Amino acid sequence: MKYKHLIWDWNGTLINDTWLCVEGINHILSSRNMGMISEEKYKEIFSFPVIEYYIKLGFDFNRESFSVIGTEFIDFYNDNFHKLSLHTKVRPVLNAVLKSKRTQSILSAGKQSLLKNWVKSHELSNYFINILGIDNHYADGKIELGRAWMLELKYSQDEVILIGDTIHDSEVAEVIGIDCLLLDQGHVARRRLKKTGRLVFNNIDQLWGYINSI
């Protein structure tokens, strides 16, 4: 068993929310008479820090503050969160991880108070030894949170792996000194994910098969 602890990203990795993020940003764009985007376009430009993604969309923060736009998006997302479902095979895979005697946690760029409610609403809380989100609405601070969590974990760096769906997840893993696997079912196009040099999987079941084989 190479990896004894799995750190999961939440948005796009476990929860299937890309479509809602596209709806949310299009709601904001439309209300300002700005051009809307397709899911394909979204996956080509979404990035961290998210303020850079908003700039790519054409927002001018000299005219309207990022905090106003970001809060508007979060409000839309929260109002519609009940429509979301987990990605296929998420629950069976989380069960399999537990049965393999590995532990797992969530490390997310979602706000901590909201994240715990989101995980609880899908009855997943008991799968994780910790659920870690940031302290703001703007997806800023995941690296620092990851560093602190690694200091708490009882495992060495080579026993821990981060699983995510964005280039930023790869960057977080690099900084905190652990391996990373990526899924192309979330917020970033496969072409972009492959440029990180990480292994990229089509779905969580395929990814778990790889982890369990090494």
Side-chain angles (χ1 to χ4, degrees), residues 7-19:
I7 301 177
W8 297 95
D9 170 59
W10 173 249
N11 300 94
T13 300
L14 297 178
I15 193 76
N16 182 12
D17 68 347
T18 304
W19 67 268

Side-chain angles (χ1 to χ4, degrees), residues 114-182:
L114 298 173
L115 175 65
K116 287 199 170 185
N117 288 334
W118 294 337
V119 175
K120 183 179 180 181
S121 72
H122 286 278
E123 300 180 340
L124 296 179
S125 303
N126 292 336
Y127 288 103
F128 307 103
I129 63 171
N130 207 351
I131 298 169
L132 298 156
I134 59 177
D135 62 0
N136 63 81
H137 280 312
Y138 313 116
D140 185 25
K142 192 170 181 178
I143 288 176
E144 291 74 16
L145 200 62
R147 280 197 182 110
W149 180 224
M150 283 303 299
L151 292 175
E152 290 185 47
L153 278 173
K154 63 182 179 180
Y155 305 104
S156 62
Q157 289 172 307
D158 59 358
E159 293 176 324
V160 181
I161 190 163
L162 189 152
I163 301 159
D165 70 305
T166 68
I167 295 168
H168 188 52
D169 288 313
S170 176
E171 294 168 345
V172 171
E174 180 75 21
V175 172
I176 65 179
I178 62 175
D179 288 342
C180 178
L181 298 175
L182 298 172

Side-chain angles (χ1 to χ4, degrees), residues 75-149:
D75 288 344
F76 181 95
Y77 186 99
N78 289 338
D79 288 344
N80 291 278
F81 178 79
H82 64 280
K83 300 176 183 178
L84 296 176
S85 58
L86 300 171
H87 278 297
T88 304
K89 298 289 184 73
V90 164
R91 201 177 301 275
V93 166
L94 295 180
N95 272 316
V97 174
L98 288 185
K99 288 179 181 178
S100 74
K101 306 302 181 182
R102 295 172 174 89
T103 57
Q104 47 197 340
S105 60
I106 289 177
L107 175 64
S108 172
K111 190 174 182 182
Q112 174 76 0
S113 57
L114 298 173
L115 175 65
K116 287 199 170 185
N117 288 334
W118 294 337
V119 175
K120 183 179 180 181
S121 72
H122 286 278
E123 300 180 340
L124 296 179
S125 303
N126 292 336
Y127 288 103
F128 307 103
I129 63 171
N130 207 351
I131 298 169
L132 298 156
I134 59 177
D135 62 0
N136 63 81
H137 280 312
Y138 313 116
D140 185 25
K142 192 170 181 178
I143 288 176
E144 291 74 16
L145 200 62
R147 280 197 182 110
W149 180 224

Side-chain angles (χ1 to χ4, degrees), residues 42-94:
Y42 172 85
K43 290 184 176 184
E44 286 294 335
I45 66 173
F46 181 75
S47 59
F48 289 89
V50 293
I51 190 170
E52 295 180 0
Y53 150 68
Y54 278 82
I55 291 171
K56 291 174 186 175
L57 288 166
F59 289 100
D60 181 354
F61 297 123
N62 292 316
R63 299 178 61 185
E64 186 175 20
S65 75
F66 174 55
S67 62
V68 169
I69 298 169
T71 299
E72 187 175 333
F73 174 82
I74 290 295
D75 288 344
F76 181 95
Y77 186 99
N78 289 338
D79 288 344
N80 291 278
F81 178 79
H82 64 280
K83 300 176 183 178
L84 296 176
S85 58
L86 300 171
H87 278 297
T88 304
K89 298 289 184 73
V90 164
R91 201 177 301 275
V93 166
L94 295 180

